[in-house]
Amino acid sequence: MAIKPQEVATEKHFLWHSYSVQQTLDTLVARKDGLSDIEATKRLRSYGSNSLPQARRRGPFMRFLLQFNNPLVYILLVAGVTMLFLGHSVDSGVILSVVIINAVIGFIQEGKAESALDAIRQLLAPTATVMREGLSRTVPVEEIVPGDIVHLTAGDKVPADIRLIHTHNLRIDEAILTGESAPVDKSAAKINGEVPISERSCMGFSGTLVSNGQATGVVVGTGADTEIGRISKLLTETTDLATPLIRQMSQFGRWLSLVIIIIASLVFCIGIWVRGYPFIDMLAAAIGLAIAGIPEGLPAVMTVTLAIGVQRMARQNAIVRKLPAVETLGSVTVICTDKTGTLTKNEMTVTKVITASHSVDVSGVGFKPHGNFKIQDRLLAVEDYPDMLELLQGGMLCNDASVQKVGDEWRISGDPTEGALITLGLKAGMKRENLEQNLPRTNVAPFESELRFMVTGHTTDQGRHIAYLKGAPEKVLEMCHMQRGLVGDEPLAKDYWKRQIEVNAAHGLRMLAIAKRTSSSGSFEHIDKSDDFVMLGLVGMIDPPRPEAIAAVSHCRSAGIQIKMITGDHAVTAIAIGRQMGFEGRALTGADLAHMDDAALSRAAHECDIFARTDPEHKLRIVKALQDRGEIVAMTGDGVNDAPALRRADIGIAMGLKGTEVAKDAAEIVLTDDNFASIASAVEKGRTIYDNIKKAILFTLPTNGGEAGMIIIAVLFGMTLPITAVQILWINMVTEVTLGLALAFEPAERDIMRRRPRDPRASLLSGVLIWRIALVSAVMILGGIGLYFWELNAGSSLATARTAAVNTLVIVHVFYLFNCRVISGSALNWAGLRGTRYVWISISALVILQLVFTHMPAMHHLFGSAPLDAGAWLRCILVGATLFLLVEADKLMQRSFKAGS
């Protein structure tokens, strides 16, 4: 039996790429003609199925029960059940309904979060072609075992991790593992030492796609022992973090629950032992006090605020999968972003054309054929430069890609590098169909990774044969003896070309050389040994940054947010793009990070902005290191390799256009345009949402404070309760569901993106806001009890006095709503008093509800209310206006104190 791949992995750190083909076959006791059926069966029993293991999950019932694991919910459940036994079915029904609705919402959200591992499993191919008993067979992918010989052709998914034995023109798209946009050339030659996955050119990895060529390889890892299996394990072990708001609300809920229980218990004891109230009456009063203290409508207001934020963000190309994630963006302090497709367009673009006489800059981004040619900022007409025309012509003819306009977009079919050359020719006004008509292709030597070039043969009307050569600059130079100058051919200046290659490659450009040969024969025999080509020139290309992303990075930095670029690309390319984005300093590579302990990595994660050649563990460690420093981290990604870090981050942001389903399922937000600029816009929306939730809390809590205060005063002074439990529920529901919801639609405050991110460790309510809640609660208590006694002293009934108290609390909230629209700024201006249409809709709805509550006979029966005269209504409005002016005066003093400090 072969040594287990798991054992080799443990001992050799997955260095299968450093084994020769024969060493690999010997280690696995495998042969090139395949395993026998008996041996394959034995290995299947020993190694297990070539599938990813499923993590244990909580069942639906347990997940639903856990939604009730909250101190405030416990109090509401006890209050709801107790009120039911006391015969207050309306109170009980309202309380229990709110609890159940919130539990259902949480249950649905958690269910969506468990699909990431299922998406990874769907990446595995259903069948594969292997050698068994010396014959080629198609077998289910689950039955593949280490030692199997696998055949791959273009379009196949690699069924397991494979050490390649033979390759022919093989290229594999490994973007899901490495993040690199271009397919990787593969060969069977071993690679020495520990190198990143992206540089293991003799390996094929499970779940990746063969884009070109054929190959044979031996399976070295299956199931959980593959690279994709390792990522699946990381994803299983990575836990979701609660959002800052959830953590703050949990802490707030625990403290509020404790305060409510202590105060309600004290009031109950005082009522029984000091005031001598009957036990049942005091139990109802204590429950009423508990209900008064709990903001029942706040969860609904928060949910609606988040949902409205989701709709607004969707219009900005950001789809939110998990509701609480909306506000997390508002507290983000660091954004770790992928390079390819997020900061850049993921479209190779030629930015430099070099001939023997000139170095030309080319403008334009992506495959859209719009751009100019410049020499030192001076526009030039390409048609005046025959040497450059011939270079561009060679790039278009020695090419198998095509670029077409589909709707408003230009799309490529074929290799991105070749697509960039087509776009370059189109920018110069060339038409490929005309070129191909004048110089029809008669022969081709396709690109092979071993040769590193491609050649196409063409025939002129005079019967002459032209060959265009395109490939790696070093290889093309070896095949040239002349170069094309302005007036004709001249001797090759190798030092000049080598210097141009080095200088431009150091700026992150991917260099490609193009040459030409004219002959009487169209034969390509031994063309790799030729040295009679004429060097036409070089083209330098890069995946350039999006202009809007550059502005968005600057915008985020002005808002106090750090940006970290983490990519699988080469360090030189990463630095080149980073400079254009405004990043400073050097790049740290995955190899650098592998030798750092946690303390060193923590410093590096804070100080460095560019990380290159990273793998999934590196990304995960960077995110954890930043979180350990107290940062709130957003992570962007599109590949399977990004999924663990996406899940670990405080908020994961996946790419919607080119992202894998695994990345989308591990993330909380999906960008429909794969554009970093959409993240910056979403951050602004997230901050606005958090502001609006804070305003809703600031608006809601005085209601509870005022109601609870009135009950406490009544019990302490032996008074009849000025409001009943059912009236408390009415106030809570109508004010929070109407006026409270209006705050969910508030627009962003003017300075929102000039503030620094909020401290995630800071309390939900500052001392200033707690003072304001106390001030408003005190006015409500004094106003409510004051008008309650006013009506009693005027000879009104108890029902009328209580109705006056209820309407006082409600009308005070109408005025207080305008105070809350701006947390610290002044509302005494036209914009503040005008409000939004949602403010006036909610006020109108509330007025109607209060008129119904006060004057409809059926409501008199349900809630113990009674009609009020015009004088009573006027006094209620006067209390509300007084509160509005007091709060604005308090804001003014706070602003003056802050300005003077």
Side-chain angles (χ1 to χ4, degrees):
M1 173 66 71
I3 184 172
K4 289 191 175 184
Q6 297 97 313
E7 297 168 11
V8 176
T10 301
E11 296 173 5
K12 304 292 185 181
H13 307 290
F14 285 91
L15 297 187
W16 286 109
H17 57 274
S18 66
Y19 282 37
S20 69
V21 170
Q22 193 57 51
Q23 283 178 312
T24 305
L25 292 172
D26 292 344
T27 303
L28 294 168
V29 192
R31 303 189 319 176
K32 292 183 180 180
D33 60 353
L35 301 173
S36 67
D37 289 336
I38 294 174
E39 181 63 19
T41 301
K42 286 181 181 177
R43 295 192 182 196
L44 186 61
R45 284 198 297 266
S46 176
Y47 300 137
S49 171
N50 180 31
S51 58
L52 300 179
Q54 285 193 335
R56 292 186 62 185
R57 298 179 181 178
R58 293 191 296 261
F61 181 69
M62 182 57 65
R63 286 210 335 264
F64 183 71
L65 286 182
L66 288 173
Q67 305 305 316
F68 298 92
N69 187 22
N70 182 290
L72 285 174
V73 174
Y74 298 155
I75 295 175
L76 286 174
L77 286 172
V78 171
V81 172
T82 306
M83 294 299 282
L84 183 64
F85 280 110
L86 293 177
H88 300 287
S89 56
V90 174
D91 305 28
S92 177
V94 171
I95 297 168
L96 296 177
S97 296
V98 169
V99 171
I100 292 172
I101 288 170
N102 284 321
V104 170
I105 292 171
F107 174 78
I108 293 171
Q109 291 170 353
E110 188 174 323
K112 289 180 180 179
E114 292 193 343
S115 56
L117 290 175
D118 294 333
I120 285 186
R121 293 187 191 92
Q122 293 171 8
L123 289 174
L124 302 182
T127 61
T129 303
V130 303
M131 295 293 292
R132 294 276 174 88
E133 304 280 358
L135 300 174
S136 179
R137 296 182 186 174
T138 299
V139 300
V141 73
E142 294 85 359
E143 297 179 9
I144 289 178
V145 295
D148 262 328
I149 304 299
V150 175
H151 296 304
L152 299 173
T153 59
D156 288 346
K157 275 189 177 180
V158 181
D161 280 6
I162 293 171
R163 171 64 170 89
L164 297 171
I165 298 174
H166 300 294
T167 65
H168 177 68
N169 207 21
L170 181 66
R171 307 187 82 192
I172 298 180
D173 183 350
E174 296 180 342
I176 64 169
L177 288 178
T178 65
E180 291 195 39
S181 54
V184 180
D185 297 324
K186 295 289 185 177
S187 70
K190 73 174 185 178
I191 306 296
N192 293 322
E194 288 195 52
V195 295
I197 293 172
S198 54
E199 295 179 11
R200 299 177 192 177
S201 57
C202 61
M203 298 289 296
F205 298 106
S206 180
T208 59
L209 181 67
V210 178
S211 60
N212 193 60
Q214 301 86 37
T216 301
V218 58
V219 174
V220 297
T222 59
D225 297 313
T226 60
E227 285 296 326
I228 202 171
R230 191 163 56 90
I231 294 172
S232 175
K233 184 180 179 184
L234 281 176
L235 193 58
T236 304
E237 295 171 349
T238 303
T239 56
D240 294 314
L241 296 180
T243 70
L245 180 64
I246 296 298
R247 293 197 293 268
Q248 288 176 328
M249 288 303 295
S250 296
Q251 183 180 20
F252 172 73
R254 287 192 293 271
W255 279 106
L256 184 60
S257 301
L258 182 63
V259 170
I260 289 170
I261 291 171
I262 291 174
I263 293 177
S265 300
L266 285 173
V267 169
F268 178 82
C269 293
I270 291 171
I272 293 290
W273 296 329
V274 177
R275 291 298 177 184
Y277 284 112
F279 177 85
I280 295 297
D281 290 350
M282 273 316 304
L283 182 61
I287 291 173
L289 178 58
I291 293 170
I294 295 176
E296 298 96 339
L298 187 57
V301 172
M302 285 178 58
T303 300
V304 171
T305 304
L306 292 171
I308 291 167
V310 166
Q311 293 177 350
R312 288 177 174 176
M313 289 173 67
R315 291 194 288 269
Q316 300 292 328
N317 301 311
I319 305 300
V320 178
R321 296 181 62 253
K322 301 174 186 178
L323 212 55
V326 179
E327 65 80 28
T328 308
L329 274 174
S331 60
V332 162
T333 59
V334 179
I335 299 176
C336 296
T337 176
D338 188 21
K339 175 184 72 69
T340 306
T342 308
L343 295 176
T344 66
K345 289 181 67 68
N346 197 15
E347 296 177 357
M348 294 301 291
T349 303
V350 174
T351 59
K352 182 78 72 173
V353 176
I354 301 167
T355 66
S357 307
H358 298 99
S359 177
V360 179
D361 295 312
V362 185
S363 63
V365 176
F367 298 125
K368 184 184 295 183
H370 299 158
N372 298 311
F373 295 79
K374 294 182 179 181
I375 298 177
Q376 296 180 344
D377 295 327
R378 177 176 57 84
L379 283 175
L380 61 85
V382 180
E383 58 270 19
D384 296 335
Y385 295 81
D387 55 339
M388 191 181 304
L389 279 175
E390 194 154 18
L391 169 63
L392 303 188
Q393 177 175 294
M396 293 194 85
L397 289 173
C398 187
N399 202 309
D400 288 329
S402 63
V403 176
Q404 297 176 331
K405 189 174 184 181
V406 180
D408 294 331
E409 294 185 6
W410 288 83
R411 296 182 183 175
I412 180 181
S413 175
D415 186 87
T417 299
E418 293 191 324
L421 293 175
I422 298 291
T423 301
L424 178 67
L426 293 174
K427 288 178 181 178
M430 292 182 172
K431 293 187 177 180
R432 191 178 184 186
E433 54 269 26
N434 293 345
L435 296 177
E436 292 176 337
Q437 186 175 356
N438 295 330
L439 293 172
R441 181 185 292 190
T442 56
N443 203 352
V444 62
F447 178 88
E448 292 192 26
S449 55
E450 291 86 354
L451 299 177
R452 298 189 298 157
F453 65 78
M454 172 184 180
V455 186
T456 56
H458 307 267
T459 306
T460 67
D461 293 340
Q462 294 78 28
R464 298 286 292 171
H465 297 282
I466 296 176
Y468 283 109
L469 167 68
K470 171 184 96 243
E474 298 83 0
K475 182 63 178 177
V476 173
L477 279 174
E478 291 176 5
M479 300 170 69
C480 295
H481 72 293
M482 301 288 283
Q483 65 189 30
R484 182 59 46 85
L486 276 176
V487 294
D489 295 346
E490 56 192 34
L492 183 70
K494 276 196 174 183
D495 290 342
Y496 166 79
W497 294 111
K498 287 180 178 178
R499 187 167 60 254
Q500 291 291 344
I501 293 167
E502 290 173 0
V503 168
N504 287 282
H507 286 86
L509 294 182
R510 180 178 179 181
M511 303 304 293
L512 199 67
I514 299 173
K516 175 184 178 180
R517 181 181 72 180
T518 303
S519 66
S520 58
S521 170
S523 173
F524 282 3
E525 187 177 358
H526 304 301
I527 197 166
D528 58 315
K529 307 296 183 184
S530 301
D531 62 358
D532 55 351
F533 279 85
V534 177
M535 182 73 169
L536 297 178
L538 299 167
V539 293
M541 59 187 70
I542 198 169
D543 180 14
R546 299 172 183 260
E548 65 273 23
I550 296 174
V553 168
S554 175
H555 194 41
C556 285
R557 284 176 164 169
S558 68
I561 300 171
Q562 300 177 61
I563 310 295
K564 310 286 183 181
M565 184 171 74
I566 307 176
T567 177
D569 217 334
H570 292 279
V572 172
T573 304
I575 291 172
I577 294 296
R579 284 175 182 158
Q580 296 181 61
M581 302 297 306
F583 296 117
E584 300 293 338
R586 68 188 185 100
L588 287 176
T589 65
D592 297 327
L593 300 179
H595 295 95
M596 290 183 180
D597 59 20
D598 290 342
L601 180 61
S602 178
R603 291 192 298 272
H606 175 68
E607 295 169 1
C608 185
D609 291 336
I610 304 175
F611 300 88
R613 277 300 193 233
T614 54
D615 65 20
E617 286 94 341
H618 299 143
K619 295 181 180 183
L620 193 57
R621 284 189 69 200
I622 292 169
V623 170
K624 287 180 178 178
L626 289 167
Q627 289 173 331
D628 290 343
R629 296 181 67 92
E631 307 287 359
I632 299 296
V633 181
M635 174 77 193
T636 76
D638 55 7
V640 177
N641 59 324
D642 297 315
L646 286 172
R647 186 168 183 181
R648 170 68 192 194
D650 295 277
I651 183 161
I653 305 171
M655 303 300 109
L657 292 177
K658 297 174 182 175
T660 61
E661 290 304 314
V662 182
K664 294 174 190 175
D665 287 333
E668 286 80 17
I669 291 178
V670 177
L671 299 184
T672 59
D673 60 353
D674 291 11
N675 193 340
F676 186 88
S678 297
I679 301 176
S681 176
V683 167
E684 182 176 341
K685 296 292 182 295
R687 291 188 174 190
T688 303
I689 290 163
Y690 184 82
D691 269 7
N692 290 348
I693 288 174
K694 201 169 185 178
K695 291 172 185 177
I697 294 172
L698 188 63
F699 175 80
T700 299
L701 292 185
T703 306
N704 307 104
E707 295 163 347
M710 290 173 68
I711 292 176
I712 291 170
I713 288 175
V715 171
L716 292 179
F717 289 95
M719 299 161 37
T720 302
L721 294 180
I723 50 175
T724 64
V726 71
Q727 288 172 345
I728 289 171
L729 281 169
W730 171 267
I731 296 169
N732 289 353
M733 295 310 296
V734 297
T735 57
E736 291 168 18
V737 173
T738 56
L739 302 180
L741 286 181
L743 293 171
F745 296 92
E746 283 298 301
E749 294 190 15
R750 287 179 296 177
D751 66 339
I752 198 161
M753 287 303 282
R754 293 194 296 271
R755 309 176 197 161
R756 294 195 61 79
R758 73 178 190 271
D759 184 353
R761 293 160 296 191
S763 173
L764 188 63
L765 296 174
S766 64
V768 171
L769 297 185
I770 291 173
W771 157 252
R772 189 173 303 167
I773 290 170
L775 172 66
V776 177
S777 298
V779 172
M780 287 185 175
I781 293 169
L782 294 174
I785 289 183
L787 292 188
Y788 168 78
F789 280 115
W790 182 293
E791 294 296 332
L792 288 179
N793 291 337
S796 299
S797 65
L798 177 62
T800 301
R802 283 175 167 169
T803 303
V806 168
N807 279 298
T808 299
L809 294 180
V810 171
I811 290 174
V812 163
H813 267 83
V814 172
F815 284 89
Y816 184 49
L817 175 66
F818 290 92
N819 297 125
C820 289
R821 291 189 63 239
V822 186
I823 293 178
S824 57
S826 175
L828 276 171
N829 51 58
W830 172 242
L833 297 175
R834 181 185 58 191
T836 65
R837 64 190 181 97
Y838 301 104
V839 166
W840 293 106
I841 289 171
S842 65
I843 291 174
S844 300
L846 183 64
V847 168
I848 293 171
L849 288 171
Q850 284 309 114
L851 289 173
V852 169
F853 172 86
T854 306
H855 296 286
M856 181 175 284
M859 302 298 280
H860 300 165
H861 174 72
L862 286 173
F863 293 98
S865 57
L868 296 180
D869 58 25
W873 283 108
L874 187 59
R875 286 186 290 273
C876 294
I877 292 172
L878 184 61
V879 173
T882 301
L883 171 76
F884 174 80
L885 295 175
L886 281 174
V887 173
E888 288 305 308
D890 178 61
K891 285 187 191 180
L892 179 61
M893 288 191 297
Q894 295 292 345
R895 291 196 301 272
S896 300
F897 177 78
K898 187 175 181 180
S901 60

